[in-house]
Amino acid sequence: MNATQASDFFVRCIEKGRIPHAFIVHGGTFEQRYDVSLKAVKILECEKSPNVCETCYHCRAISSNNHPDISRVKPEKRNLSIDEVRTIKQDMYMKPYSGRYKIFIIETDWMQAPAANSLLKILEEPPEYGIMIILARNNKNFLPTIVSRTINIRINPEIEAPDVDKKNSEYLEKIIQSAERKNWRNFFSMCAEIAKNVSREEFENIFEIIVMTARYNLLKDTEITDKNLKGTNQESIINTVSHSQIEELLDKRTYLRFNVNSRIILERIILELISPKWRNWQTR
Ligand SMILES: [Zn+2]
C-alpha cells in the first residue's frame, strides 16, 4: 500500500474497535515510514480520533515531539539492543500519563536474539494501552516469531527514482551501461572503484538505487505509465510481478550484513539486473 493507505489502516483499526498492540511498518523511504508513524499516533491519540484535528493538546504535543506517552526509540546502527528493550518494557507497563495509549515508535532494522526474545515477551503480554510501531526498511531481518505476532504494513516503493546522491547514481548508471554494452573491462574496474571508495552505508544507498532502477525499468518495459496504472487491475498485476523480483534483489541485501565483499555483490546484482530473466519477465 502507499503511505496514505498505510495511515488509513490505523483509522480502520479504530473504527473496528480492535487495535493491535504491535505493527511493523516497512518498505518505502525513511521519510514515508516516519510520516506514517506520525500520522498513526495522531490518529490514535487525537481528541477527535480517528480524525486528526491538528489543534488539540495531543496533536500539538505529537507535532512538537513532546507527548509524554509517545517515545521514539532510535537504536545505534538501527540495531535494537536488549537494554533498549528492557527500558521499553519498564516504561510500557507504566500507565499513560495523558493519552489513551502508550506508544513506542522503534526505528530498527535488526535485533539480536536476546533483544528479540525480550521483545517477544512484551508482545505476548502487552498492557491493554501499550502499542509498538516498528519502522524498518525490511521485515525480513526479524525473527519469524516477531513478524508473525505483529501487523505488517508494507509501504510500496515510489515509482519515481528516489532522491539519492546524484554522483553515486550517475556513476551507477555508467556501470549498468557498460554491463549492457558488455564492456567488461570497464564494468569490473568501475565496480572495484565504487566498492573501494564508499562506506557500507553509502553502499546500501547504492543498493537502493539499483532496486529502484530495476523497478523503474520493469514498469517502463511494460509501456504502462504510472497514470494508466491507477485504479486498474493492471496496477496490482504489475505490482505483484515486479515486487517478487524486487524482493529477490532485496534478499541479496542480507549479504551486506555478513560483510561479504561489496564489490562482488555489486557485480552480481548488476549482472542479474541486465540478464534476460529481468528483461523478459513478462514472457516468463
Ligand atoms: Zn487532535
Side-chain angles (χ1 to χ4, degrees):
M1 53 181 91
N2 63 34
T4 315
Q5 291 166 331
S7 308
D8 289 347
F9 183 82
F10 289 87
V11 174
R12 288 205 303 279
C13 289
I14 292 178
E15 285 169 350
K16 283 184 193 157
R18 284 192 52 187
I19 296 152
H21 291 282
F23 300 85
I24 298 178
V25 177
H26 65 114
T29 62
F30 173 81
E31 283 74 21
Q32 286 175 316
R33 295 189 295 264
Y34 183 89
D35 288 347
V36 168
S37 72
L38 192 69
K39 189 80 189 290
V41 291
K42 284 181 181 173
I43 289 166
L44 292 163
E45 300 281 25
C46 176
E47 278 174 14
K48 304 250 160 66
S49 171
N51 294 322
V52 172
C53 73
E54 299 288 359
T55 52
C56 71
Y57 159 76
H58 298 287
C59 285
R60 280 183 291 129
I62 291 164
S63 290
S64 60
N65 234 331
N66 214 4
H67 196 289
D69 299 314
I70 291 156
S71 315
R72 280 195 183 265
V73 184
K74 297 181 188 180
E76 200 176 321
K77 296 188 177 157
R78 304 183 59 85
N79 187 347
L80 189 67
S81 72
I82 183 148
D83 286 343
E84 281 160 324
V85 179
R86 283 190 187 127
T87 311
I88 293 170
K89 196 172 175 180
Q90 267 179 8
D91 206 11
M92 172 84 88
Y93 290 95
M94 278 161 36
K95 286 196 169 150
Y97 179 76
S98 66
R100 291 183 196 93
Y101 304 99
K102 192 112 181 194
I103 307 174
F104 295 82
I105 299 164
I106 308 164
E107 293 173 16
T108 183
D109 285 324
W110 27 76
M111 49 189 98
Q112 312 301 331
N117 289 328
S118 181
L119 195 72
L120 269 176
K121 298 237 169 68
I122 311 180
L123 292 176
E124 276 157 14
E125 283 176 44
E128 213 182 309
Y129 50 78
I131 294 176
M132 279 191 279
I133 304 175
I134 295 172
L135 306 182
R137 287 184 206 165
N138 190 333
N139 65 351
K140 287 190 174 165
N141 299 324
F142 300 131
L143 283 180
T145 40
I146 298 265
V147 175
S148 66
R149 281 182 175 79
T150 48
I151 301 293
N152 285 250
I153 300 174
R154 186 191 161 112
I155 304 174
N156 291 338
E158 297 287 335
I159 286 163
E160 289 80 16
D163 193 17
V164 285
D165 186 285
K166 204 165 168 247
K167 201 184 83 208
N168 279 344
S169 62
E170 278 172 4
Y171 197 75
L172 196 65
E173 220 177 289
K174 279 187 195 156
I175 298 181
I176 294 172
Q177 274 170 9
S178 53
E180 279 174 339
R181 288 176 194 149
K182 302 198 182 345
N183 186 345
W184 301 122
R185 198 193 159 94
N186 241 342
F187 170 73
F188 287 113
S189 71
M190 284 201 283
C191 283
E193 189 67 17
I194 202 163
K196 198 175 73 187
N197 291 330
V198 301
S199 67
R200 178 92 358 184
E201 211 166 74
E202 277 178 299
F203 190 75
E204 282 198 29
N205 222 334
I206 289 170
F207 197 92
E208 296 290 332
I209 306 172
I210 297 174
V211 173
M212 290 303 180
T213 311
R215 183 177 154 77
Y216 184 77
N217 285 341
L218 286 169
L219 286 170
K220 216 169 58 183
D221 283 355
T222 65
E223 292 176 2
I224 295 169
T225 63
D226 188 19
K227 201 175 139 207
N228 292 338
L229 282 172
K230 286 208 174 94
T232 67
N233 283 339
Q234 284 161 326
E235 182 176 22
S236 57
I237 297 164
I238 302 297
N239 277 334
T240 319
V241 177
S242 52
H243 276 149
S244 68
Q245 290 183 308
I246 298 299
E247 271 174 14
E248 269 181 53
L249 257 186
L250 284 171
D251 281 344
K252 296 225 164 32
R253 185 159 54 188
T254 320
Y255 294 129
L256 292 175
R257 289 166 55 209
F258 299 111
N259 258 345
V260 176
N261 184 317
S262 47
R263 176 183 165 185
I264 292 171
I265 303 173
L266 185 65
E267 291 171 358
R268 237 183 99 173
I269 53 188
I270 291 178
L271 289 176
E272 237 167 84
L273 187 65
I274 64 157
S275 79
K277 186 179 123 192
W278 284 87
R279 282 278 170 243
N280 304 319
W281 63 274
Q282 309 96 310
T283 56
R284 272 203 302 171

Short mmCIF file of all heavy atoms in Angstrom, two decimals, residues 32-55:
data_model
loop_
_atom_site.label_atom_id
_atom_site.label_comp_id
_atom_site.label_asym_id
_atom_site.label_seq_id
_atom_site.Cartn_x
_atom_site.Cartn_y
_atom_site.Cartn_z
N GLN A 32 8.84 8.31 4.47
CA GLN A 32 7.48 7.76 4.38
C GLN A 32 7.13 7.00 5.65
O GLN A 32 6.04 7.14 6.19
CB GLN A 32 7.37 6.83 3.17
CG GLN A 32 7.33 7.56 1.85
CD GLN A 32 7.33 6.57 0.69
OE1 GLN A 32 8.07 5.60 0.67
NE2 GLN A 32 6.48 6.82 -0.29
N ARG A 33 8.07 6.19 6.13
CA ARG A 33 7.80 5.41 7.34
C ARG A 33 7.58 6.35 8.53
O ARG A 33 6.70 6.16 9.36
CB ARG A 33 8.95 4.44 7.63
CG ARG A 33 9.11 3.36 6.56
CD ARG A 33 10.11 2.31 7.00
NE ARG A 33 11.46 2.81 7.13
CZ ARG A 33 12.40 2.73 6.19
NH1 ARG A 33 12.14 2.16 5.03
NH2 ARG A 33 13.62 3.20 6.40
N TYR A 34 8.42 7.39 8.59
CA TYR A 34 8.30 8.35 9.67
C TYR A 34 6.93 9.03 9.63
O TYR A 34 6.24 9.14 10.64
CB TYR A 34 9.42 9.39 9.56
CG TYR A 34 9.43 10.39 10.69
CD1 TYR A 34 10.15 10.13 11.86
CD2 TYR A 34 8.71 11.57 10.61
CE1 TYR A 34 10.15 11.03 12.91
CE2 TYR A 34 8.69 12.48 11.65
CZ TYR A 34 9.42 12.20 12.79
OH TYR A 34 9.40 13.08 13.83
N ASP A 35 6.53 9.47 8.43
CA ASP A 35 5.24 10.15 8.29
C ASP A 35 4.07 9.24 8.68
O ASP A 35 3.12 9.69 9.31
CB ASP A 35 5.04 10.64 6.84
CG ASP A 35 5.95 11.82 6.52
OD1 ASP A 35 6.52 12.40 7.47
OD2 ASP A 35 6.09 12.15 5.33
N VAL A 36 4.17 7.97 8.28
CA VAL A 36 3.10 7.04 8.63
C VAL A 36 3.01 6.92 10.16
O VAL A 36 1.92 6.95 10.73
CB VAL A 36 3.33 5.64 7.99
CG1 VAL A 36 2.39 4.60 8.58
CG2 VAL A 36 3.13 5.71 6.48
N SER A 37 4.16 6.85 10.82
CA SER A 37 4.13 6.69 12.28
C SER A 37 3.57 7.95 12.95
O SER A 37 2.80 7.87 13.92
CB SER A 37 5.52 6.36 12.83
OG SER A 37 6.36 7.49 12.78
N LEU A 38 3.94 9.11 12.41
CA LEU A 38 3.46 10.37 12.98
C LEU A 38 1.94 10.46 12.85
O LEU A 38 1.23 10.80 13.80
CB LEU A 38 4.12 11.53 12.23
CG LEU A 38 3.99 12.91 12.84
CD1 LEU A 38 4.80 12.99 14.13
CD2 LEU A 38 4.50 13.99 11.87
N LYS A 39 1.45 10.14 11.67
CA LYS A 39 0.01 10.18 11.42
C LYS A 39 -0.70 9.15 12.30
O LYS A 39 -1.74 9.44 12.88
CB LYS A 39 -0.22 9.89 9.93
CG LYS A 39 -1.63 10.08 9.42
CD LYS A 39 -1.96 11.53 9.14
CE LYS A 39 -3.42 11.76 8.83
NZ LYS A 39 -3.85 11.21 7.54
N ALA A 40 -0.09 7.98 12.42
CA ALA A 40 -0.71 6.90 13.21
C ALA A 40 -0.89 7.30 14.67
O ALA A 40 -1.97 7.11 15.25
CB ALA A 40 0.13 5.63 13.11
N VAL A 41 0.14 7.89 15.27
CA VAL A 41 0.00 8.25 16.68
C VAL A 41 -1.04 9.36 16.86
O VAL A 41 -1.77 9.37 17.85
CB VAL A 41 1.34 8.62 17.37
CG1 VAL A 41 2.22 7.41 17.52
CG2 VAL A 41 2.09 9.71 16.65
N LYS A 42 -1.13 10.26 15.89
CA LYS A 42 -2.18 11.29 15.98
C LYS A 42 -3.56 10.65 15.87
O LYS A 42 -4.48 11.00 16.60
CB LYS A 42 -2.00 12.35 14.89
CG LYS A 42 -0.85 13.31 15.19
CD LYS A 42 -0.72 14.36 14.10
CE LYS A 42 0.45 15.29 14.41
NZ LYS A 42 0.70 16.21 13.28
N ILE A 43 -3.69 9.72 14.92
CA ILE A 43 -4.98 9.03 14.75
C ILE A 43 -5.37 8.33 16.05
O ILE A 43 -6.53 8.33 16.45
CB ILE A 43 -4.89 8.01 13.58
CG1 ILE A 43 -4.81 8.76 12.24
CG2 ILE A 43 -6.08 7.05 13.58
CD1 ILE A 43 -4.40 7.90 11.07
N LEU A 44 -4.38 7.77 16.73
CA LEU A 44 -4.67 7.03 17.96
C LEU A 44 -4.96 7.95 19.15
O LEU A 44 -5.78 7.64 20.00
CB LEU A 44 -3.50 6.10 18.30
CG LEU A 44 -3.30 4.91 17.34
CD1 LEU A 44 -1.92 4.30 17.51
CD2 LEU A 44 -4.38 3.86 17.58
N GLU A 45 -4.26 9.09 19.21
CA GLU A 45 -4.34 9.91 20.43
C GLU A 45 -5.24 11.14 20.31
O GLU A 45 -5.64 11.71 21.33
CB GLU A 45 -2.94 10.37 20.86
CG GLU A 45 -1.94 9.26 21.17
CD GLU A 45 -2.14 8.63 22.55
OE1 GLU A 45 -3.26 8.68 23.09
OE2 GLU A 45 -1.16 8.07 23.08
N CYS A 46 -5.53 11.59 19.10
CA CYS A 46 -6.27 12.85 18.94
C CYS A 46 -7.61 12.80 19.68
O CYS A 46 -8.26 11.77 19.76
CB CYS A 46 -6.51 13.14 17.45
SG CYS A 46 -7.52 14.61 17.15
N GLU A 47 -8.04 13.95 20.18
CA GLU A 47 -9.34 14.04 20.86
C GLU A 47 -10.48 13.68 19.91
O GLU A 47 -11.53 13.22 20.34
CB GLU A 47 -9.56 15.47 21.38
CG GLU A 47 -8.86 15.72 22.70
CD GLU A 47 -8.96 17.17 23.13
OE1 GLU A 47 -9.78 17.92 22.56
OE2 GLU A 47 -8.21 17.54 24.05
N LYS A 48 -10.25 13.95 18.61
CA LYS A 48 -11.29 13.66 17.61
C LYS A 48 -11.05 12.32 16.92
O LYS A 48 -11.59 12.08 15.85
CB LYS A 48 -11.32 14.79 16.56
CG LYS A 48 -11.52 16.17 17.16
CD LYS A 48 -12.90 16.71 16.82
CE LYS A 48 -13.33 17.82 17.75
NZ LYS A 48 -12.52 19.03 17.65
N SER A 49 -10.22 11.48 17.50
CA SER A 49 -9.87 10.19 16.91
C SER A 49 -11.11 9.45 16.43
O SER A 49 -12.13 9.47 17.12
CB SER A 49 -9.13 9.37 17.98
OG SER A 49 -8.95 8.05 17.55
N PRO A 50 -11.13 8.81 15.27
CA PRO A 50 -9.97 8.57 14.39
C PRO A 50 -9.64 9.73 13.45
O PRO A 50 -8.78 9.56 12.59
CB PRO A 50 -10.40 7.33 13.59
CG PRO A 50 -11.88 7.45 13.51
CD PRO A 50 -12.32 8.09 14.78
N ASN A 51 -10.34 10.85 13.59
CA ASN A 51 -9.92 12.02 12.82
C ASN A 51 -8.68 12.61 13.47
O ASN A 51 -8.38 12.34 14.62
CB ASN A 51 -11.02 13.07 12.76
CG ASN A 51 -12.22 12.56 11.97
OD1 ASN A 51 -12.05 11.87 10.96
ND2 ASN A 51 -13.42 12.85 12.45
N VAL A 52 -8.01 13.47 12.71
CA VAL A 52 -6.86 14.16 13.25
C VAL A 52 -7.14 15.65 13.14
O VAL A 52 -7.31 16.17 12.03
CB VAL A 52 -5.57 13.79 12.47
CG1 VAL A 52 -4.40 14.65 12.90
CG2 VAL A 52 -5.25 12.31 12.67
N CYS A 53 -7.24 16.33 14.28
CA CYS A 53 -7.65 17.74 14.23
C CYS A 53 -6.46 18.69 14.10
O CYS A 53 -6.62 19.81 13.66
CB CYS A 53 -8.47 18.09 15.48
SG CYS A 53 -7.47 18.21 16.98
N GLU A 54 -5.28 18.25 14.49
CA GLU A 54 -4.05 19.06 14.46
C GLU A 54 -4.07 20.22 15.46
O GLU A 54 -3.12 20.98 15.53
CB GLU A 54 -3.74 19.63 13.05
CG GLU A 54 -3.52 18.60 11.97
CD GLU A 54 -2.19 17.84 12.07
OE1 GLU A 54 -1.40 18.12 12.99
OE2 GLU A 54 -1.97 16.94 11.23
N THR A 55 -5.18 20.40 16.20
CA THR A 55 -5.23 21.55 17.11
C THR A 55 -5.34 21.16 18.58
O THR A 55 -5.05 21.97 19.45
CB THR A 55 -6.43 22.47 16.76
OG1 THR A 55 -7.60 21.67 16.72
CG2 THR A 55 -6.24 23.15 15.42
#
